[in-house]
Amino acid sequence: MTGYFSTPFPRRHSVGVDVGGVTVGGDAPVIVQSMTNTDTADIDQTVAQVAALHRAGSEIVRITVDRDESAAAVPAIRERLERLGINVPLVGDFHYIGHKLLADHPACAEALAKYRINPGNVGFKDKKDKQFAAIVEKAIFYDKPVRIGVNWGSLDQELLTRLMDENQANGSPLTAQEVMREAIVQSALLSAEAAEQLGLGRDKIILSAKVSQVQDLIAVYTMLAERCDHALHLGLTEAGMGSKGIVASSAAMGILLQQGIGDTIRISLTPEPNGDRTREVQVAQELLQTMGFRQFVPIVAACPGCGRTTSTVFQELAQNIQEGIRKNMPEWRKKYPGVEELKVAVMGCIVNGPGESKHADIGISLPGTGEMPAAPVFIDGKKAMTLRGPDIAQDFEKMVADYIEQRFGRGGGKQAAE
């Protein structure tokens, strides 16, 4: 009998949006994106980080465009990336003065693949509609899509106040939290409707509704998915640092993705001081891969260890192989088509080691505590050899490299399939 969570729900229907050659929504897979945390006016640092994020697997990269200096730098960043052979779409993140920056820096407006605007701070009072329209008109002129990104930290207070007043006049049937959720959803939908009335096509609009609590995110996106067919960008804002941010983001987005909701995602991790920004890209990929939506890198299965595995050899070997895969994947994707389907097993003792290794494409069962100092290696479900001696780890790493070359190298894939 098929389990309730054994396969993902069918993807919800959404209108596809072309973002600089990358399709978001429609029949496209869920797209991974990230955002730089450099000063965009610093061209060297921004180019370096965009390149690192893209090589890690970010298919769209957002950059901050907050003042004249950063807007002026965007064309140079785009040009420098193209010279490096990096054609990743760049999204401009605009707040408060986006209308002015796009008007004053036409080369920036042209170089960006998409504009992200926040209806909560695009303008205030009588200026809001005018400045929102100015950005949308620039998007139409330059044929660019727009992400209308609502954030509960900068929610349209006029809309929220009106809904609160209406709720109170009706006897307060909704809680304050429910009214806030409704305000977020309405802000996105009303802004999208206004953009369409100005002439922006539905195939140029992506919506997002960022909150920082898991249950709020699930509720808000479920409501959005029921009330529109726009492509949706998922992300838990201010998710936090380390395991907290990873767990919170995965819990919220995992539930939504399982229900077919979400066309592109970002894991908004707070990096540790001088930490690696690409970590959020890796987590996003692992979430999609673990749930069975996409395959980005070979899977390395490794046992958790127990009293039978007092040696750290299998842990170190699994770590080396995993890190080696991440490091080599940018080149492997070009050199070895299909290598992301590879399954490697690094097991620590005889209990599950041989069986798990047989299920992998290539696997090794290292000796546990008190076992004979021998490590059988299984290739394509069959025992290929037994490794012994002090260089077991290095020998197996070489076997993995050889297996990749033979199976996925030029002509190898076809031969392996036959």
Side-chain angles (χ1 to χ4, degrees):
M1 181 176 179
T2 302
Y4 184 75
F5 288 110
S6 61
T7 57
F9 282 30
R11 283 279 300 283
R12 120 189 208 283
H13 172 73
S14 63
V15 176
V17 179
D18 185 330
V19 181
V22 174
T23 301
V24 174
D27 296 326
V30 180
I31 298 299
V32 172
Q33 59 180 281
S34 183
M35 184 177 183
T36 59
N37 61 357
T38 59
D39 178 358
T40 305
D42 188 327
I43 296 172
D44 291 341
Q45 284 195 15
T46 303
V47 167
Q49 192 171 90
V50 171
L53 290 168
H54 181 56
R55 290 185 181 118
S58 185
E59 294 157 301
I60 297 173
V61 177
R62 183 157 46 113
I63 60 177
T64 298
V65 187
D66 58 346
R67 63 192 197 278
D68 287 310
E69 291 82 0
S70 59
V74 170
I77 292 168
R78 176 75 276 167
E79 182 182 356
R80 186 90 61 85
L81 288 167
E82 289 176 353
R83 288 206 304 265
L84 294 172
I86 298 171
N87 296 314
V88 61
L90 295 179
V91 178
D93 194 59
F94 295 99
H95 296 276
Y96 305 108
I97 60 170
H99 63 290
K100 183 177 185 301
L101 294 175
L102 287 169
D104 293 347
H105 299 273
C108 169
E110 180 64 42
L112 293 169
K114 184 177 72 175
Y115 310 152
R116 188 268 181 166
I117 57 176
N118 182 340
N121 60 32
V122 70
F124 301 101
K125 296 186 177 181
D126 58 336
K127 293 182 179 180
K128 183 177 76 170
D129 292 344
K130 181 180 179 181
Q131 291 173 187
F132 177 86
I135 295 177
V136 170
E137 287 164 359
K138 288 297 180 186
I140 294 170
F141 180 82
Y142 290 105
D143 194 26
K144 307 291 183 180
V146 171
R147 171 154 75 92
I148 297 172
V150 181
N151 191 303
W152 77 338
S154 52
L155 185 59
D156 184 338
Q157 292 303 301
E158 291 182 19
L159 173 61
L160 180 60
T161 299
R162 176 172 63 79
L163 291 179
M164 286 288 190
D165 291 343
E166 290 176 357
N167 186 58
Q168 187 174 14
N170 292 329
S172 300
L174 302 177
T175 65
Q177 184 180 41
E178 289 171 331
V179 175
M180 182 273 295
R181 291 173 176 174
E182 177 64 23
I184 292 172
V185 172
Q186 283 201 28
S187 179
L189 295 178
L190 290 171
S191 298
E193 182 181 352
E196 288 190 66
Q197 289 177 350
L198 289 165
L200 189 66
R202 184 159 292 207
D203 62 343
K204 296 291 186 181
I205 299 174
I206 297 172
L207 299 183
S208 67
K210 299 290 191 72
V211 296
S212 60
Q213 299 299 316
V214 170
Q215 295 300 335
D216 286 324
L217 192 84
I218 295 168
V220 165
Y221 274 95
T222 300
M223 293 163 68
L224 266 179
E226 290 172 348
R227 291 158 65 174
C228 77
D229 62 355
H230 291 291
L232 299 180
H233 168 81
L234 296 188
L236 188 74
T237 192
E238 289 93 40
M241 183 181 289
S243 61
K244 186 270 178 186
I246 293 171
V247 171
S249 295
S250 299
M253 286 191 273
I255 289 172
L256 291 167
L257 290 167
Q258 182 69 26
Q259 297 179 67
I261 298 172
D263 301 293
T264 176
I265 67 171
R266 181 199 172 195
I267 304 290
S268 300
L269 294 181
T270 302
E272 297 178 1
N274 300 314
D276 187 354
R277 189 68 165 179
T278 63
R279 177 64 172 148
E280 65 177 45
V281 178
Q282 181 181 341
V283 173
Q285 288 184 328
E286 288 175 351
L287 174 61
L288 293 175
Q289 182 159 326
T290 299
M291 295 191 70
F293 287 102
R294 294 187 65 182
Q295 193 78 20
F296 295 98
V297 297
I299 294 173
V300 179
C303 69
C306 66
R308 299 183 185 89
T309 57
T310 54
S311 169
T312 61
V313 173
F314 87 95
Q315 299 164 347
E316 294 164 356
L317 179 55
Q319 182 181 39
N320 289 343
I321 290 176
Q322 187 74 69
E323 290 178 351
I325 285 172
R326 281 280 172 191
K327 179 181 177 181
N328 290 311
M329 274 308 293
E331 185 62 31
W332 282 358
R333 286 190 186 98
K334 303 173 186 176
K335 190 175 180 181
Y336 302 121
V339 70
E340 63 274 6
E341 301 292 336
L342 178 70
K343 295 178 176 62
V344 181
V346 180
M347 304 301 293
C349 78
I350 199 172
V351 174
N352 293 314
E356 189 72 40
S357 297
K358 288 177 183 177
H359 289 304
D361 295 311
I362 179 169
I364 186 170
S365 179
L366 292 160
T369 304
E371 295 178 17
M372 293 291 292
V377 175
F378 297 83
I379 297 178
D380 296 330
K382 298 178 181 178
K383 183 177 177 180
M385 65 173 60
T386 298
L387 298 177
R388 294 181 174 84
D391 299 324
I392 286 177
Q394 294 90 325
D395 291 343
F396 182 67
E397 288 182 53
K398 184 177 184 306
M399 290 184 70
V400 171
D402 290 344
Y403 181 87
I404 290 171
E405 174 64 38
Q406 292 167 12
R407 178 175 172 181
F408 301 102
R410 293 183 179 179
K414 180 179 179 180
Q415 183 178 356
E418 295 174 349

